[in-house]
Amino acid sequence: MNEQILNPYYDRLPGSYLFSTIAKKIKEYQASHEDADIIRLGIGDVTTPLIPQVISAMHKAVDEMALKDSFRGYGPEQGYDFLREAIVRGEYIPRGVNLDPGDVFVSDGSKCDVANIQELFAEGVKIAIPDPVYPVYLDSNVMAGRTGVIDSIGHFTEVTYLSSTAENNFQPDLPKNPVQLIYLCSPNNPTGTVLSRETLQKFVDYANANGALILFDGAYNCYIQDENLPHSIYEIEGAENCAIEFRSFSKTAGFTGIRCAYTVVPHQLQKIHAMWNRRQCTKFNGVSYVTQRAAEAIYTAAGWQETQNVISGYMKTAALIRNELTACGYTVFGGEHAPYIWWKLPKLANGVQEKSFDFFDRLLSTCEVVGTPGSGFGPCGEGYFRLTAFGDHEQTKVALQRIKERL
Ligand code: MLT
């Protein structure tokens, strides 16, 4: 085969996707340590079973599929009205946001949506992304040829990076160069920190003044404990004219294996709304009926309560990690409004900052605990390490005990 037929931009990507690299490292360790007792606090995958309301909604929907009168084939590509309406009622109206259910596009995952959305934009569009952040925003734009090449510090030459670090209290400044697409993630994956109302207003005003678009990833919004912090970009004045919001049932309701999410494209963004609709109708056949009934069930009174209980359980684990690491003398961020703890790695005895991938190996070999190296989320993540609170609570306790005793 002639390699010239291939998309050349794939060669610009880092070797493999972050979480595939981690999975490979774990497999290699297991292969050489037969009795390994590994505790996984790496990928943010949920461990608590689906809530009873979701399970019974799924059973009921399955039974409907067994009868001629209630059987369903293809559903609407945008999602069933019952779910789009439930999302608006359950998520947005209580926060004072009046969305049109027709602006909600149900999908099988936010990862796919945040990666797919970039195909609506011209190749030459300039993007800004936080550093550190969930790697999919960058990787999907690298694949599309929009980023230039990587430089010596690990930044792509055509991308504007928005440093989100302890030094700026995880509140990035506006882009220094003109950009047309701005990715924001709050609560941030991986730092677990939340963008303030002031920061969001600054970005919305910038976008409206400069004809830019904000792509706001709110996959972890349900973990925000302070009701005064913004959960949605649409709580910010003017955002309906310049922002798309991505949300997921994965972390809200334990759907990482079930697959259901939604993307809000306000009708005010007329052309983009029409283009996303066109894209979904052409390339996507909707989420299964059973799954959408399952998602709808979290918005019943009982479903909502059960969901909040699960979230509280994960936040209890987040507090445990924060407190134990702090008691050991480490500096940590996040974990108060998000299920991620951002651990600042101390300097080594020789005064050198340990690289986060080296720490990954050391933590695995000394404690058999897995986390995620900060540099996998961008150069500003170097010297940091992410732990997830989605693990089993008792296992996490064991992991922390090992860290305390062996590191
Ligand atoms: C993470 O660990 O960052 C997430 O689980 C990845 C994802 O949601 O795709």
Side-chain angles (χ1 to χ4, degrees):
M1 188 212 51
N2 181 351
E3 290 209 353
Q4 281 178 345
I5 67 172
L6 302 177
N7 178 344
Y9 301 124
Y10 273 62
D11 286 340
R12 296 184 180 178
L13 288 165
S16 67
Y17 179 58
L18 173 62
F19 294 105
S20 315
T21 307
I22 303 302
K24 186 163 167 267
K25 277 176 165 285
I26 300 171
K27 215 167 156 196
E28 281 165 6
Y29 182 86
Q30 272 172 326
S32 54
H33 298 79
E34 262 183 20
D35 300 328
D37 175 20
I38 296 175
I39 301 178
R40 293 164 193 256
L41 307 181
I43 190 164
D45 197 2
V46 292
T47 52
T48 305
L50 295 171
I51 57 167
Q53 289 296 318
V54 163
I55 294 294
S56 67
M58 289 180 90
H59 280 302
K60 185 163 171 280
V62 168
D63 288 343
E64 284 177 48
M65 295 299 255
L67 302 174
K68 189 154 182 56
D69 285 351
S70 47
F71 169 77
R72 315 252 178 160
Y74 289 128
E77 293 91 344
Q78 304 82 356
Y80 285 102
D81 285 345
F82 64 77
L83 180 56
R84 301 171 95 189
E85 284 161 13
I87 289 167
V88 171
R89 261 196 327 269
E91 303 278 356
Y92 290 99
I93 292 185
R95 298 206 56 84
V97 175
N98 274 314
L99 277 187
D100 181 339
D103 295 349
V104 178
F105 292 81
V106 176
S107 77
D108 61 353
S110 277
K111 181 185 190 175
C112 327
D113 285 358
V114 294
N116 291 332
I117 197 84
Q118 55 72 32
E119 70 183 60
L120 303 192
F121 305 101
E123 190 177 327
V125 152
K126 298 289 181 224
I127 67 164
I129 59 163
D131 177 12
V133 88
Y134 184 44
V136 175
Y137 318 147
L138 179 65
D139 285 6
S140 56
N141 277 288
V142 173
M143 291 168 175
R146 217 172 263 126
T147 57
V149 292
I150 205 156
D151 67 14
S152 58
I153 65 156
H155 278 154
F156 279 86
T157 48
E158 298 298 319
V159 175
T160 296
Y161 289 84
L162 308 171
S163 302
S164 307
T165 59
E167 287 68 35
N168 62 15
N169 203 20
F170 302 97
Q171 305 297 312
D173 286 336
L174 287 172
K176 298 222 166 19
N177 311 310
V179 295
Q180 293 86 43
L181 277 185
I182 303 168
Y183 289 84
L184 294 176
C185 179
S186 180
N188 176 281
N189 177 8
T191 67
T193 56
V194 181
L195 295 175
S196 69
R197 205 166 281 279
E198 295 69 34
T199 300
L200 289 181
Q201 189 68 64
K202 200 170 69 175
F203 276 90
V204 166
D205 291 346
Y206 171 95
N208 278 326
N210 294 281
L213 187 76
I214 294 172
L215 301 171
F216 184 83
D217 185 351
Y220 298 92
N221 81 85
C222 61
Y223 290 89
I224 298 176
Q225 304 294 301
D226 180 347
E227 285 310 301
N228 295 318
L229 287 168
H231 288 47
S232 162
I233 189 82
Y234 303 118
E235 292 173 46
I236 307 301
E237 203 184 325
E240 67 284 1
N241 298 314
C242 67
I244 291 175
E245 178 160 292
F246 304 90
R247 286 202 176 177
S248 170
F249 291 100
S250 286
K251 313 301 160 83
T252 308
F255 275 41
T256 53
I258 301 286
R259 310 305 308 152
C260 195
Y262 54 96
T263 290
V264 178
V265 187
H267 58 271
Q268 288 86 342
L269 298 171
Q270 296 167 359
K271 177 88 183 176
I272 298 176
H273 186 278
M275 284 172 76
W276 184 246
N277 189 49
R278 183 73 170 85
R279 192 253 170 228
Q280 294 298 81
C281 291
T282 304
K283 297 195 177 183
F284 181 60
N285 254 338
V287 177
S288 77
Y289 174 70
V290 175
T291 300
Q292 293 193 58
R293 282 294 184 201
E296 182 195 24
I298 78 161
Y299 298 114
T300 58
W304 193 252
Q305 192 48 57
E306 289 169 7
T307 303
Q308 297 313 311
N309 294 346
V310 174
I311 290 170
S312 302
Y314 288 134
M315 290 312 287
K316 211 170 108 209
T317 306
L320 173 79
I321 302 174
R322 253 188 89 89
N323 295 341
E324 292 293 314
L325 290 182
T326 307
C328 290
Y330 296 111
T331 302
V332 295
F333 301 94
E336 288 172 313
H337 302 291
Y340 293 129
I341 285 79
W342 192 230
W343 180 2
K344 183 165 174 38
L345 301 176
K347 293 211 166 103
L348 295 169
N350 60 7
V352 170
Q353 175 64 61
E354 187 173 23
K355 297 264 186 239
S356 57
F357 267 93
D358 292 343
F359 181 74
F360 174 93
D361 293 333
R362 189 157 72 89
L363 188 66
L364 184 56
S365 60
T366 56
C367 302
E368 299 199 322
V369 171
V370 171
T372 310
S375 62
F377 298 97
C380 285
E382 189 52 282
Y384 284 84
F385 202 72
R386 192 192 79 174
L387 293 181
T388 165
F390 286 125
D392 172 78
H393 190 77
E394 293 309 313
Q395 281 280 295
T396 305
K397 268 190 194 161
V398 176
L400 291 162
Q401 191 60 29
R402 290 185 196 168
I403 289 171
K404 205 154 131 185
E405 287 167 4
R406 303 185 199 169
L407 264 196

